[in-house]
Amino acid sequence: MKKRLLTALACAGLISGAAGFAPSGASADAPSKAALPEAFDRLIVLPFDYHDKAFLNGQLTDFMYSDYDIVERNGRIYVPIRLMSTLATNADIGKGAWDAVWQAAHPKDVLLSNANLHKRVQFTVGSKTMLVNGEPVVMDAAPLQVDGRVVLPLRSAAEALDKEIDWLDGLILIGTEHVDLTSPRTLEVKDRVKQVLTDPRKPVAYENAPVPLGRFGHAAYYYTTAYRSNGSVETLFRQPDGGKAAEVKLPGNPLLHAAKAIGGKLYFVTANGGAAELAAYNFADGQSRKIAAIPQWKPEDGWVTDIRSDGGELYVILHTGDLTMGGETLYKVSGGALTKVADAKSVIHFTANGGYLYMTDFHPMADASNNLVRIDRKTGASSAFGQPGFTYGISRTINDHGVGFGGDVSMMIQDGYLYTLGYLESDPKDVPAVYKIKLADGTQVKLTGAASSFWLADGRIVYVDGASGGLKSVDPSGGNARTLTARKAENVRFANGGFYYTEGTANGAAQDPGTLYSYDLAAGREVRLSDRPAASYEVGEAGVYYVAKGYEPGLYKVDASGLNRRLVADSIASSALTEAGMTYTLTYKAGVYTAQ
């Protein structure tokens, strides 16, 4: 049985004073503190009566496979070391991970360490002295061993990790700042926070969870995965509006996780009769047909990297081997067969123009330069393109923690020029910028400062500034520079003639929730779209949708007037947008659903 704390402990005043958890929301200090809604996405929030749910920087998280019991002893809160490391890592988002170290040879000693922050905190069961970077610090309570596990006094552990803690009517708030506990806005939302955290429902098991592919015509499509001793089987289902789902028979053993919906058809690779083939399912008539055989490759040899359309032609990228020693081959679908276009370590992006196809390759274990190639589409002959010594299509970041690399798909051709990111490989201080390369002779011109991605839109080059993260633009010659938004723009997309993005924080990651904005190029103005942080969003002909994972979880739609309409008032597990609307699944309820 899990040992649950009762909210009544806090209400009765049993957790206060000596434990160091006296409420810290005195009205005299309130103006200098943020109310709970404003600070929520910077906090770790969990209930005293812990039910395996917590808010980590604004996002609801289920620890469904953990045994993270919170323990109360003599009016003090104790947490397991691994839960403490998880909470501390999320409280220090962007500053490295807090690792928990326990060794059987020293069962009473535990260590929390963060290499990025250069900090180590050592605890010993039964001792009120902890060592912070080797210096002794006295705690008000000693770590305990409960049911064979080491648990730490929450307040002392949090202080050692430079965290602040507040108590709020049965809630524990952990962050780098105190919250205004008396603010009307805090009191207004606290019950909603508690309601979500004390929801007794468990997430749908991963192996039973359907994956939505989208809504096509008058039906939603999804697939499920069944795990067997000799591998896995993925099955496609069709669920008509107002009807029951039925299995869609597909040839062989299809790899639906790598399938792509293109032009009214679902293209997928399948293992059929001991061989692999590319097939397509037609959403309109419900029929499948073989598109092309795949010789000398089987699913067990690697994986399907991508199936995509470019210039009206269909391409397939297949990976062979592992990430370290393996490689990829780009194929074109032609005349019922796959024709090899090029080999690469890892295909970043490609685009065709006239008689040539241009492709960027990513080889992180070797010299990455000269990775832009031009391939003759008739003869297959390949040659390096651009300037010698330059690396293209890769976002290189340089900071105090070292050098990072990532592929970027921002490569476009327009008016006789190829636009791509580039930097001089031999210069360790050079960072990617947008270059235009003349197709006729390979000469290039640098157009921007540091950039991490870019788009060609409305006769301008719009790019994410590599230093500030803001959205900027220049004209095709690199002049007439403008700042479209100074805020850090994450998850940027160009759709419907404008740009959409979520607001990032200084140390946050791209996957963190953020307020959704749009920038109208024609009007030259930024508009706030979401009235709560968006964990993900979709933009299409059907509209603008976003998923919230905070204390008002659900699926929202932004209408033309900017009003946020809550379509689904429950936790969303996954979603997919098509022209016909949203298809989604729920975290705590099995099934596939649609919304418009």
Side-chain angles (χ1 to χ4, degrees), residues 529-579:
L529 296 179
S530 70
D531 53 16
R532 51 188 50 78
S536 63
Y537 75 92
E538 298 288 349
V539 181
E541 293 185 9
V544 179
Y545 302 81
Y546 69 92
V547 172
K549 294 185 178 292
Y551 52 82
E552 293 178 313
L555 175 64
Y556 292 78
K557 183 175 183 179
V558 184
D559 66 19
S561 67
L563 179 67
N564 285 219
R565 184 160 55 96
R566 196 180 189 187
L567 303 180
V568 182
D570 203 350
S571 294
I572 304 296
S574 58
S575 60
L577 175 66
T578 62
E579 294 179 2

Side-chain angles (χ1 to χ4, degrees), residues 330 342-344 347 349-350 357-361 371-373 411:
L330 171 64
D343 289 318
V347 177
H349 193 52
F350 65 88
L357 183 142
Y358 299 82
M359 183 184 76
T360 46
D361 185 9
N371 67 327
L372 172 60
V373 296
M411 184 171 71

Side-chain angles (χ1 to χ4, degrees), residues 396 398 426-431:
R396 179 169 74 171
I398 305 172
S426 61
D427 184 353
K429 295 183 179 181
D430 195 20
V431 293

Side-chain angles (χ1 to χ4, degrees), residues 130-457:
M130 60 180 168
L131 298 177
V132 181
N133 284 350
E135 296 295 325
V137 177
V138 178
M139 300 180 288
D140 63 348
L144 303 176
Q145 201 159 32
V146 178
D147 296 335
R149 295 179 304 119
V150 177
V151 293
L152 306 176
L154 178 58
R155 176 178 174 82
S156 295
E159 287 181 343
L161 304 180
D162 299 321
K163 301 294 170 286
E164 305 290 351
I165 292 184
D166 286 310
W167 297 107
L168 177 63
D169 190 20
L171 297 173
I172 304 171
L173 314 179
I174 305 173
T176 57
E177 60 188 305
H178 281 298
V179 175
D180 183 356
L181 303 180
T182 62
S183 165
R185 285 182 52 74
T186 295
L187 302 178
E188 178 187 356
V189 304
K190 69 178 179 64
D191 288 337
R192 281 179 260 169
V193 175
K194 292 167 63 176
Q195 182 180 9
V196 175
L197 291 178
T198 55
D199 183 348
R201 295 179 298 170
K202 299 294 183 183
V204 176
Y206 174 78
E207 59 270 19
N208 298 326
V211 180
L213 293 172
R215 189 170 183 269
F216 303 91
H218 298 287
Y221 290 82
Y222 65 92
Y223 72 90
T224 61
T225 304
Y227 297 93
R228 300 174 180 173
S229 59
N230 61 345
S232 61
V233 176
E234 297 175 345
T235 305
L236 180 66
F237 289 87
R238 179 182 186 273
Q239 182 173 303
D241 295 345
K244 293 185 178 180
E247 179 182 345
V248 175
K249 297 293 185 181
L250 297 177
N253 185 11
L255 306 180
L256 296 175
H257 63 276
K260 286 293 183 68
I262 303 172
K265 297 181 178 64
L266 184 70
Y267 290 90
F268 58 94
V269 171
T270 183
N272 194 10
E277 62 185 40
L278 177 68
Y281 170 80
N282 191 317
F283 291 114
D285 60 18
Q287 300 298 310
S288 299
R289 69 181 182 91
K290 178 180 176 180
I291 301 298
I294 302 178
Q296 300 179 341
W297 186 91
K298 296 179 181 180
E300 56 265 32
D301 295 335
W303 58 83
V304 181
T305 299
D306 201 4
I307 301 171
R308 74 174 75 160
S309 176
D310 184 271
E313 295 181 315
L314 192 64
Y315 294 86
V316 178
I317 303 174
L318 300 176
H319 191 101
T320 303
D322 59 16
L323 284 172
T324 303
M325 301 301 295
E328 294 183 343
T329 302
L330 171 64
Y331 295 93
K332 176 185 173 183
V333 181
S334 178
L338 293 187
T339 302
K340 178 180 173 180
V341 177
D343 289 318
K345 175 62 180 176
S346 179
V347 177
I348 302 174
H349 193 52
F350 65 88
T351 186
N353 180 265
Y356 295 97
L357 183 142
Y358 299 82
M359 183 184 76
T360 46
D361 185 9
F362 187 18
H363 201 317
M365 305 299 290
D367 185 346
S369 64
N370 307 313
N371 67 327
L372 172 60
V373 296
R374 182 168 66 179
I375 303 161
D376 190 305
R377 300 172 71 185
K378 288 185 178 180
T379 67
S382 175
S383 60
F385 189 68
Q387 294 300 298
F390 268 77
T391 299
Y392 298 101
I394 294 178
S395 178
R396 179 169 74 171
T397 57
I398 305 172
N399 54 42
D400 295 338
H401 306 306
V403 180
F405 299 92
D408 181 79
V409 298
S410 306
M411 184 171 71
M412 305 152 203
I413 294 176
Q414 183 173 289
D415 298 332
Y417 289 92
L418 183 146
Y419 294 80
T420 183
L421 293 184
Y423 61 87
L424 184 61
E425 181 70 29
S426 61
D427 184 353
K429 295 183 179 181
D430 195 20
V431 293
V434 181
Y435 284 81
K436 69 175 183 180
I437 307 173
K438 194 171 184 178
L439 297 181
D441 57 16
T443 57
Q444 66 183 29
V445 177
K446 183 177 181 179
L447 301 176
T448 70
S452 58
S453 57
F454 72 95
W455 299 261
L456 301 183

